[in-house]
Amino acid sequence: MTGFCRKMTVAAIMSLSLCGGAQAQSSPFTPEQINAGRENFGMYCAGCHGDNLTGGGEAPALTGGIFNHDWSNQSVGAFFAFISNAMPQGLEGALTPEEYASITAYIMAANGAKPGTAPFTGKSDIKISAIADGKLVSGVVSGK
Ligand code: HEC
């Protein structure tokens, strides 16, 4: 792949869309997980982080510039590990791994990641910036 990309870089500006960019990487979660995550987020997270992830009070936004600044260089698995250990504040670690996985899928999708075919189990080295650009997708948030 490296050789291919190098050749393409020399050959054409097309290399940008072939070898980089969000579309190249498929996300490690399913549409079903996004839907479950929307419900779980509403129950366990929205009270502090807002229905549309924009934050409130002490709780930071989980989208946009803050999200990119804090998470774009980290992996999807690291995000899952963080929320599994540290959230919901006051009830840390209280949800099941499946619930945390679905919430991770939902937050990634709400930030622009497209679902794939493999369910997310909590482990993934995929860098968040490779799948999500931090721009809130209102259709994911509303479920419509
Ligand atoms: C009682 C309020 C409250 C609830 C409920 C809550 N959070 Fe938080 N959350 C906070 C506060 C306050 C912070 C900032 C301090 C910190 O990072 O611990 C935070 C930080 C975070 C961060 C880090 C944000 C960043 O940019 O570093 C993430 C991610 C997060 N919460 C996700 C969640 C998820 C997912 C849920 C639901 C499972 C949840 N939170 C529920 C209050 C809450």
Side-chain angles (χ1 to χ4, degrees):
M1 196 61 191
T2 314
F4 170 75
C5 287
R6 199 181 305 121
K7 256 183 233 134
M8 287 302 293
T9 309
V10 174
I13 299 162
M14 283 295 287
S15 64
L16 270 181
S17 57
L18 287 171
C19 303
Q23 278 78 4
Q25 184 95 59
S26 83
S27 302
F29 55 81
T30 64
E32 291 75 21
Q33 287 183 306
I34 300 174
N35 288 332
R38 184 184 304 106
E39 289 210 4
N40 289 324
F41 185 89
M43 274 190 284
Y44 300 114
C45 318
C48 294
H49 290 282
D51 283 332
N52 35 20
L53 288 77
T54 45
E58 305 272 287
L62 302 178
T63 185
I66 300 179
F67 177 83
N68 279 338
H69 178 268
D70 292 347
W71 294 104
S72 61
N73 270 325
Q74 306 217 44
S75 68
V76 181
F79 185 91
F80 168 85
F82 173 82
I83 65 168
S84 298
N85 289 313
M87 294 291 143
Q89 201 181 59
L91 275 176
E92 292 83 355
L95 315 193
T96 66
E98 290 74 22
E99 287 170 327
Y100 283 118
S102 71
I103 291 170
T104 300
Y106 170 69
I107 293 173
M108 294 304 136
N111 280 293
K114 302 277 185 290
T117 49
F120 179 57
T121 57
K123 294 213 189 329
S124 170
D125 293 332
I126 293 176
K127 222 173 163 194
I128 290 177
S129 62
I131 56 169
D133 61 8
K135 289 201 189 88
L136 191 68
V137 182
S138 55
V140 169
V141 172
S142 67
K144 282 169 196 148

